[in-house]
């Protein structure tokens, strides 16, 4: 009696061994301390990484990871720029 061949493996067990980084902790910290609007976008992409990986969408997981890192960088840069401008403004007010 012949058995049908097993289907090819799909999902996270096939291909890469570990999901890409999701940067979730960093995006949450950056959202709290730097810039809330851009941080929320970063958190959304961070949370998509593991769910896409678990669904077998490896390309989507890598793209979400890249987008999370990009938005994390934007969040931190905007937060630092606003912080420095605020410091300069407050120092100029205090000195006059």
């Amino acid at each position: 009696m012949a058995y049908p061949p097993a289907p090819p493996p799909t999902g996270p067990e096939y291909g890469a061994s570990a999901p890409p980084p999701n940067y979730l902790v960093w995006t949450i910290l950056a959202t709290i301390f730097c810039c809330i609007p851009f941080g929320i976008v970063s958190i959304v992409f961070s949370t998509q990484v593991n769910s896409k990986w678990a669904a077998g969408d490896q390309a989507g997981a890598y793209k979400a990871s890249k987008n999370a890192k990009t938005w994390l960088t934007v969040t931190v840069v905007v937060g630092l720029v606003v912080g420095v401008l605020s410091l300069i403004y407050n120092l100029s007010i205090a000195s006059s």
Side-chain angles (χ1 to χ4, degrees):
M1 176 179 229
Y3 294 102
T10 59
E13 69 276 356
Y14 185 73
S17 61
N22 61 14
Y23 306 104
L24 186 60
V25 172
W26 293 110
T27 58
I28 290 171
L29 292 174
T31 302
I32 293 170
F33 294 113
C34 293
C35 181
I36 291 174
F38 296 128
I40 291 172
V41 175
S42 181
I43 289 173
V44 168
F45 283 117
S46 292
T47 57
Q48 290 177 355
V49 173
N50 290 343
S51 61
K52 287 185 179 199
W53 187 264
D57 184 9
Q58 294 178 358
Y62 280 106
K63 184 175 180 181
S65 176
K66 181 181 174 193
N67 286 336
K69 186 176 181 181
T70 300
W71 282 101
L72 172 61
T73 304
V74 169
T75 302
V76 171
V77 168
V78 168
L80 289 175
V81 167
V82 169
V84 168
L85 291 176
S86 176
L87 179 66
I88 291 170
Y89 175 76
N90 286 331
L91 290 176
S92 69
I93 295 294
S95 66
S96 59

